[in-house]
């Protein structure tokens, strides 16, 4: 539900803010949620853990429509191939990290917080140093 609501929120916010900068915000929210999971792990509070998971899933969902838009931006004639590659990378990354996820501790949220904060940090750094958001045009502008 939180991911679905995040998609709706991200779609709404895309009308007012440039997507590349919103992706940066979503990634930073993920880093923040993961860090708070690590910090609050000793409390072993279900309410805090669930609130942070909801925050993470909202941010995740909000970026779900923006990421493919930018990934396919400059690949008009190869959009099908680019989309396939994007899908394969999603599944391959998930499969590669399945073992890591399976080895996480289940007593509190520290381990999953490390994973969430770490992966979101990689996403933010990739956005800044590989994608370079300042090079992406404002896609909100309509072309007539």
């Amino acid at each position: 539900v939180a991911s679905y609501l995040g998609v709706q929120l991200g779609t709404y916010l895309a009308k007012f803010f440039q997507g590349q900068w919103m992706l940066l915000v979503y990634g930073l929210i993920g880093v923040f949620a993961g860090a708070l999971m690590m910090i609050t792990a000793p409390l072993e509070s279900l309410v805090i853990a669930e609130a942070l998971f909801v925050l993470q899933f909202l941010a995740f969902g909000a970026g779900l429509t923006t990421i493919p838009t930018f990934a396919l931006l400059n690949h008009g004639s190869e959009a099908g191939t680019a989309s396939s590659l994007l899908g394969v990378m999603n599944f391959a990354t998930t499969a590669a990290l399945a073992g890591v996820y399976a080895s996480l501790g289940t007593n509190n949220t520290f381990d999953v917080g490390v994973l969430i904060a770490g992966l979101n940090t990689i996403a933010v750094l990739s956005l800044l140093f590989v994608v370079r958001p300042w090079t992406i045009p404002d896609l909100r502008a309509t072309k007539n």
Side-chain angles (χ1 to χ4, degrees):
V1 170
S3 186
Y4 171 79
L5 293 175
V7 168
Q8 301 308 312
L9 178 66
T11 302
Y12 178 77
L13 291 175
K15 297 175 188 176
F16 306 104
F17 303 102
Q18 292 183 22
Q20 60 270 37
W21 301 113
M22 291 308 299
L23 274 178
L24 180 63
V25 169
Y26 305 146
L28 292 173
I29 289 171
V31 172
F32 176 73
L36 280 180
M37 283 182 194
M38 290 185 287
I39 292 168
T40 61
L43 301 176
E44 296 183 10
S45 169
L46 180 63
V47 173
I48 293 172
E50 286 300 317
L52 293 172
F53 279 119
V54 166
L55 180 63
Q56 166 59 28
F57 280 115
L58 278 169
F60 172 78
L64 278 179
T65 58
T66 310
I67 293 169
T69 302
F70 291 130
L72 302 175
L73 180 63
N74 295 319
H75 302 286
S77 63
E78 306 105 7
T81 304
S83 179
S84 297
L85 181 60
L86 185 60
V88 166
M89 290 307 297
N90 286 334
F91 288 117
T93 303
T94 303
L97 291 174
V100 173
Y101 184 76
S103 68
L104 296 179
T106 58
N107 294 334
N108 58 43
T109 58
F110 185 82
D111 289 352
V112 75
V114 169
L115 189 62
I116 289 172
L119 292 175
N120 277 286
T121 298
I122 292 169
V124 167
L125 293 175
S126 297
L127 179 66
L128 290 174
F129 296 109
V130 177
V131 177
R132 299 182 315 264
W134 53 90
T135 65
I136 298 173
D138 186 356
L139 299 179
R140 295 172 299 151
T142 57
K143 296 179 183 177
N144 295 342

